[in-house]
Amino acid sequence: MTDDEKNPPGRYGPPRLAAGAFAGAVAGFAALAVAELVSAGVRPQAGPVVAVGGAAIDRTPLAVKDWAVRNFGTNDKLVLELGILAVLTLFAFALGMAVLRFRRAGAAGVLLFGVVGALAATTRPDSRGFSDALPSLGGAGVGAVLLYVLAGRLEWRPARRERPAPGQESGPEDRREDGPDSDREGGPDSDREGGRDSSRDWDRRGFVVAAGVAAVASAGAGTLGRYLNGASGKDAVASRERLVLPAPGSPAHAVPRGAGLRIPGISPFITPNDSFYRVDTALVVPKVDATAWRLRVHGKGVSRPVVLSFDDLLRRELIERDITLTCVSNEVGGPYVGTARWIGTRLADLLAECGVKPPSRGGPADQLVARSVDGMTIGSPVEDVMDGRDALLAVGMNGQPLPFDHGFPVRMVVPGLYGFVSACKWITDIELTTFDSYDPYWVKRGWARKAPIKTQSRIDTPKPFARPRTGTVMVAGVAWAQHRGIDKVEVRVDDGPWQEARLAPEDSRDTWRQWSFPWQAGKGGHTLTVRATDRSGQVQTDRRARTVPDGASGRHSVVVTVE
Ligand SMILES: Nc1nc2c(c(=O)[nH]1)N[C@H]1C(S)=C(S)[C@@H](COP(=O)(O)O)O[C@H]1N2
Ligand SMILES: [Mo]
């Protein structure tokens, strides 16, 4: 039997158990709000939800991650954070109910969550040490004390006899605060009223007032923390706003006329920055102040290690190139591919100045490991980076300084390699090493060490399950095989013969190529399939492979009904 059954709660106001759960929720809310406020003084990444989320991302099994990206796309991070909050809410309810019986232990339970958050924050790869524990510990401390105090308002105490009317509210002078185990069963005050035990009661008004004050104060602290965290990157924002990119010494040639087809529904040839796909593990986008940014180049075979500032980098020759970036997590027909006009400095030149030689010329390092400010590690073959392709330390994207989401102030871009083995954002360190001696982040999680981009094509229009009219239907899309180039695209209707599509002019072999196919569509359901052939003669395979470990393969099909 619970206390509530033995002692019917007041006929007016919330039942005691619900009040306990509510107390837990208020304490949990206060803990998160205080953690948010403290993290503004430390750094936003040290907040418990972000830290635990980051730790969860790093530990998520591949299959789950793949499923999350497939189902939630770029909302996967939001879903993760909401999931963490949902779990915390359940635990807060449970602790709040537990505190009715075990006042000290229940309140101390909140501290346990603080320890989990602190551990997650201090063991993140970009952790700055003990200070990262402060938001979690501070938040949990406040949450624990608050829960203890609220639990005091929920303790039984004698009801006031002189006000027998139902619905009475007792003043706080009757409050008893003699600890968790002091519930008295019956006792001298016992009296019964209408068959109900009204000998004991708890301090409803005191509880509601305390919980209300705590909730309002927490909302204030949380809002202030949010605001400060939002403004925390202001040096970085200012450094980006001040930045005027120098004119590239080697500008990109104009995109050839007609490389971007004017067909409704086709992806634009150059993907605008704000619709460029984003894939990374960062729950809080790093805001790096360009004036404080440094890039260190060191490691095996680096006879002249350097540390570069952002100005050093801008003083180098800048080149401008159109390059299509592709994510290894892109499913056949998927959206994680885009083309930008990048401005940056040649990575191979910088490496050569540092004394680096590719393995084919006797260099001892075959892997270049790029590290970001948030602890990401990305490994690329030194051979590919130095083989003459336009491997860039990029500072500009489509005429703008890199957006924060895409790696401000500097990122790598290497034509022909999937992003996870080439495109390190927020880069700060380049280490020359070997594939045998070091596995970077994604490789540790089951992805391939080396991953050149697979020849792929996508139908952008018509959309799946479209209902076009009979007659000429324009089928169109994009095909890519970066650094090899696209030679041919073919379309097949149902089980018919492969028919050559019209290729738009090629911008470069590092970019995708648009194609179109005017289809004489007859009534009924039809399946359209596309395949590309690259300039090395490779025909896009129809063998289906999943994204793990080195990129999806297979052919994109779209089913339509012609009316
Ligand atoms: N620091 C950092 N860089 C990163 C990643 C990351 O998670 N962290 N993800 C990589 C992956 S998997 C891809 S596909 C590209 C995506 O770049 P984008 O977000 O600018 O499109 O960034 C790469 N660089
Ligand atoms: Mo990726």
Side-chain angles (χ1 to χ4, degrees), residues 484-544:
R484 298 184 298 280
I486 289 293
D487 192 38
K488 188 162 75 174
V489 169
E490 295 158 293
V491 174
R492 185 171 66 183
V493 181
D494 302 320
D495 294 325
W498 286 104
Q499 296 174 269
E500 231 176 292
R502 277 191 220 146
L503 273 179
E506 178 177 72
D507 180 50
S508 96
R509 56 189 178 136
D510 294 336
T511 57
W512 59 14
R513 211 166 161 183
Q514 297 193 350
W515 57 268
S516 64
F517 177 77
W519 169 42
Q520 299 314 312
K523 254 195 166 36
H526 296 287
T527 303
L528 302 163
T529 306
V530 64
R531 75 174 181 192
T533 304
D534 65 31
R535 288 200 185 284
S536 76
Q538 283 273 356
V539 181
Q540 178 183 340
T541 178
D542 68 347
R543 240 197 30 247
R544 291 204 145 259

Side-chain angles (χ1 to χ4, degrees), residues 1-91:
M1 238 182 150
T2 69
D3 283 351
D4 287 3
E5 285 164 314
K6 279 185 286 186
N7 305 285
R11 284 130 284 190
Y12 303 89
R16 190 164 165 263
L17 198 62
F22 183 67
V26 169
F29 176 58
L32 288 179
V34 169
E36 179 83 26
L37 186 57
V38 176
S39 76
V42 180
R43 58 201 198 99
Q45 285 86 344
V49 176
V50 174
V52 169
I57 289 175
D58 289 356
R59 285 167 184 75
T60 305
L62 252 181
V64 178
K65 193 169 331 200
D66 219 42
W67 173 86
V69 171
R70 248 198 331 273
N71 286 278
F72 306 123
T74 3
N75 286 329
D76 55 347
K77 295 189 182 78
L78 180 64
V79 172
L80 174 68
E81 293 195 2
L82 291 178
I84 291 172
L85 289 178
V87 170
L88 282 179
T89 307
L90 291 183
F91 274 111

Side-chain angles (χ1 to χ4, degrees), residues 202-512:
W202 50 281
D203 179 13
R204 284 185 180 72
R205 183 162 21 124
F207 174 77
V208 169
V209 168
V213 167
V216 170
S218 304
T223 307
L224 180 62
R226 276 266 137 142
Y227 169 77
L228 293 174
N229 270 329
S232 74
K234 61 182 187 304
D235 291 347
V237 172
S239 75
R240 183 171 181 275
E241 275 164 6
R242 262 197 320 270
L243 175 60
V244 180
L245 291 176
S250 165
H253 58 249
V255 173
R257 275 177 77 87
L261 299 170
R262 286 209 206 101
I263 296 175
I266 198 168
S267 314
F269 180 77
I270 295 284
T271 315
N273 288 355
D274 54 12
S275 51
F276 206 96
Y277 80 90
R278 175 186 161 207
V279 171
D280 56 58
T281 58
L283 284 173
V284 172
V285 173
K287 292 247 171 74
V288 180
D289 177 356
T291 57
W293 176 87
R294 295 291 181 274
L295 174 68
R296 176 170 170 233
V297 183
H298 62 111
K300 269 199 181 69
V302 183
S303 49
R304 291 176 292 278
V306 294
V307 176
L308 289 176
S309 71
F310 193 65
D311 280 338
D312 293 339
L313 203 116
L314 291 187
R315 274 195 289 272
R316 302 178 62 81
E317 191 200 19
L318 296 182
I319 66 174
E320 184 185 42
R321 296 290 182 269
D322 299 337
I323 299 168
T324 298
L325 193 63
T326 310
C327 182
V328 70
S329 296
N330 194 44
E331 303 280 339
V332 173
Y336 304 140
V337 53
T339 302
R341 177 158 282 201
W342 307 94
I343 295 178
T345 187
R346 279 201 183 85
L347 179 54
D349 291 354
L350 176 64
L351 293 174
E353 287 164 35
C354 296
V356 177
K357 288 190 185 119
S360 61
R361 293 204 287 120
D366 60 0
Q367 179 174 224
L368 179 157
V369 174
R371 267 191 194 79
S372 71
V373 298
D374 63 334
M376 171 55 62
T377 53
I378 287 187
S380 324
V382 177
E383 197 64 54
D384 292 350
V385 168
M386 298 189 80
D387 71 357
R389 72 182 76 193
D390 293 318
L392 298 180
L393 285 171
V395 295
M397 182 177 185
N398 294 329
Q400 302 288 319
L402 287 178
F404 288 106
D405 282 357
H406 296 289
F408 182 84
V410 184
R411 74 174 305 168
M412 266 174 64
V413 176
V414 183
L417 305 180
Y418 284 117
F420 83 108
V421 289
S422 69
C424 188
K425 304 193 274 191
W426 315 294
I427 191 173
T428 186
D429 186 287
I430 289 179
E431 181 176 359
L432 279 294
T433 179
T434 60
F435 280 103
D436 281 344
S437 62
Y438 185 75
D439 283 339
Y441 183 91
W442 299 104
V443 176
K444 287 196 186 96
R445 289 162 178 78
W447 297 84
R449 291 201 166 82
K450 297 186 182 176
I453 292 170
K454 296 179 179 178
T455 302
Q456 267 295 341
S457 50
R458 183 177 75 193
I459 299 172
D460 286 341
T461 182
K463 298 281 175 240
F465 313 115
R467 301 179 151 268
R469 297 283 190 78
T470 52
T472 307
V473 172
M474 200 49 101
V475 185
V478 286
W480 61 90
Q482 288 94 307
H483 211 53
R484 298 184 298 280
I486 289 293
D487 192 38
K488 188 162 75 174
V489 169
E490 295 158 293
V491 174
R492 185 171 66 183
V493 181
D494 302 320
D495 294 325
W498 286 104
Q499 296 174 269
E500 231 176 292
R502 277 191 220 146
L503 273 179
E506 178 177 72
D507 180 50
S508 96
R509 56 189 178 136
D510 294 336
T511 57
W512 59 14

